Amino acid sequence: MVEWIQSDSPVAYPEALAFMEARVAEIAAGTADEAIWLLEHPPLYTAGTSARIEDLTDPDRFPVYDAGRGGQYTYHGPGQRVVYVMLDLNKRGRDVRCFVRQLETWVIATLAEFNVKGEIRPGRVGVWVSRPEKGLGPDGAPPEDKIAAIGVKLRRWVSFHGISINVEPDLSHFGGIVPCGIRDHGVTSLVDLGLPVTMADLDAALRHSFHETFG
């Protein structure tokens, strides 16, 4: 049984961390169901365990929080769907790489419902879309923009943190960091791609593709 939780108002980052910490402990103890939490945050930056201070290019722009998850700097804010994934890998196979692949597959399947081809790239975390309409890059390939970020942490084989998908955030807000340490590629969103997708549309697609991906 997976409980789906949705917050309709932006959730402060410390509040979200406290909730996840408590819920993960309960799941590990067998006193609570697994959970998927859909929410938005006010504008902020988070630093993963691999974050490099030089990638925080405008430290005074928004609050910066130590996330404790894997990865580097990430932006969260209105118009971005954050999906916190609290699943028990004791029951789903103790394979971290397989779990991350499942998260990527889930995002790609969700984007496919809007005819967006999401792709993964070796050495680059997250999900990317090709932008041939922008012309060719110096290497002769079309530019690629990031549309979703993935960063997780495990405690007693229960996951927390998870995914963020850009629906219609202010893309200029990514300018205060080097997102996930990637300097050579941009950031996009569903609306930036010309798709009038709402948060409710994305949530419905996430639910549908979750069951296809995770059972």
Side-chain angles (χ1 to χ4, degrees):
M1 178 70 71
V2 177
E3 179 184 5
W4 287 76
I5 306 166
Q6 182 169 333
S7 296
D8 295 326
S9 300
V11 178
Y13 197 74
E15 178 185 340
L17 282 181
F19 178 91
M20 284 192 288
E21 294 269 359
R23 185 59 175 254
V24 164
E26 292 170 353
I27 294 170
T31 58
D33 291 329
E34 297 175 303
I36 304 293
W37 187 11
L38 307 174
L39 68 149
E40 293 173 82
H41 284 304
L44 57 92
Y45 298 129
T46 65
T49 54
S50 301
R52 299 174 299 188
I53 191 63
E54 61 267 26
D55 289 342
L56 182 61
T57 57
D58 190 354
D60 299 322
R61 188 169 189 179
F62 298 124
V64 182
Y65 296 96
D66 183 0
R69 52 152 177 81
Q72 301 187 42
Y73 282 106
T74 300
Y75 166 76
H76 294 310
Q80 180 191 74
R81 176 52 88 211
V82 174
V83 187
Y84 286 138
V85 182
M86 291 157 276
L87 297 179
D88 188 353
L89 271 63
N90 291 291
K91 301 176 181 178
R92 297 175 177 272
R94 293 184 176 188
D95 188 328
V96 178
R97 289 184 180 180
C98 178
F99 179 60
V100 172
R101 285 196 300 270
Q102 284 181 306
L103 293 176
E104 292 168 341
T105 299
W106 182 22
V107 173
I108 289 169
T110 298
L111 295 174
E113 297 208 12
F114 306 104
N115 294 316
V116 173
K117 185 180 180 182
E119 299 176 307
I120 57 174
R121 291 289 182 264
R124 283 195 258 140
V125 180
V127 178
W128 302 78
V129 293
S130 178
R131 304 299 303 273
E133 71 277 12
K134 291 186 174 182
L136 299 180
D139 60 355
E144 296 176 330
D145 288 342
K146 190 170 192 175
I147 195 167
I150 295 173
V152 296
K153 184 175 181 179
L154 298 178
R155 180 169 297 154
R156 296 173 62 186
W157 288 101
V158 179
S159 69
F160 55 124
H161 298 281
I163 297 164
S164 60
I165 303 175
N166 297 329
V167 179
E168 192 179 8
D170 185 337
L171 295 178
S172 72
H173 287 180
F174 287 87
I177 58 172
V178 178
C180 300
I182 305 297
R183 297 178 179 275
D184 300 330
H185 302 278
V187 181
T188 191
S189 69
L190 288 165
V191 170
D192 182 54
L193 293 173
L195 301 168
V197 177
T198 67
M199 202 67 76
D201 295 332
L202 181 69
D203 290 347
L206 281 165
R207 285 176 177 260
H208 177 256
S209 54
F210 176 85
H211 295 294
E212 288 188 341
T213 305
F214 289 94

